[in-house]
Amino acid sequence: MINCKPLLMNMDNQDLIPKDKFDLDVTRRLSLATPEQVSVVATSLLEWIADINWPVALELIHILPQFYKELLPSIELILINPENDTIWKYWIISQLLIQFPKESIINLLPIIQEYADSVPNNEDEDDLKKSALDFLDWYNKKENSSITNSNPTE
């Protein structure tokens, strides 16, 4: 068995951030990272899913959910900041949050509800609104299915 601890201890937090949109090796580096290391670079990591068409974004979207606790504070700040890119918010809601444990995203529901209730001014805002509506629909179905599937004799 290979001991990865020396690699982990020598890894700089900046090594967890992709070097470019083709840096697919970042997923290996992230798989060796501690939650504390990811927490330090959370916002920088999330910037790499601003365009899901980048090869590295497609890889990150699968590994980032394991660090949901470390990412949630940054995600909340991204979603509430009106200056942040609308499409970045769209990808976070439509591709990342749906992979997080249901109970972990409760605090984000009011923010997502605001997007669902918004009146879009352009196509990007319309896409964000639709993703928020789809997310809330998914969340509520998941919520209802966990209630209906529970065993009343427990």
Side-chain angles (χ1 to χ4, degrees):
M1 180 171 221
I2 299 173
N3 185 356
C4 294
K5 286 201 177 202
L7 176 61
L8 182 61
M9 292 173 63
N10 293 328
M11 189 166 32
D12 182 339
N13 291 341
Q14 295 303 308
D15 291 335
L16 300 175
I17 302 169
K19 309 291 182 250
D20 57 49
K21 63 184 179 179
F22 301 105
D23 183 7
L24 303 182
D25 195 45
V26 72
T27 56
R28 182 190 59 78
R29 297 189 304 268
L30 276 170
S31 70
L32 300 172
T34 65
E36 295 77 19
Q37 288 174 306
V38 171
S39 182
V40 172
V41 296
T43 302
S44 296
L45 279 170
L46 290 166
E47 289 173 359
W48 285 95
I49 63 165
D51 186 343
I52 208 71
N53 296 308
W54 292 338
V56 72
L58 293 170
E59 296 297 320
L60 286 174
I61 210 74
H62 297 293
I63 198 160
L64 289 179
Q66 76 185 52
F67 297 106
Y68 71 92
K69 291 177 186 172
E70 293 72 34
L71 297 174
L72 281 169
S74 294
I75 288 172
E76 183 172 4
L77 292 174
I78 292 164
L79 292 178
I80 63 173
N81 186 338
E83 300 297 315
N84 284 331
D85 183 62
T86 302
I87 295 300
W88 187 19
K89 295 173 186 179
Y90 167 84
W91 292 125
I92 288 172
I93 293 170
S94 68
Q95 299 296 312
L96 188 59
L97 290 181
I98 61 169
Q99 298 183 67
F100 286 13
K102 178 188 63 178
E103 61 278 0
S104 72
I105 52 181
I106 291 172
N107 291 339
L108 297 178
L109 293 177
I111 301 165
I112 296 169
Q113 185 66 55
E114 281 185 44
Y115 289 122
D117 295 339
S118 68
V119 177
N121 295 311
N122 58 49
E123 188 177 343
D124 289 349
E125 289 178 6
D126 189 49
D127 288 344
L128 178 59
K129 177 183 176 99
K130 287 176 185 171
S131 75
L133 288 167
D134 288 346
F135 178 87
L136 292 170
D137 184 52
W138 166 84
Y139 182 86
N140 290 326
K141 282 182 183 173
K142 191 172 182 183
E143 179 75 16
N144 292 337
S145 69
S146 66
I147 293 169
T148 58
N149 290 338
S150 63
N151 186 349
T153 60
E154 289 182 357

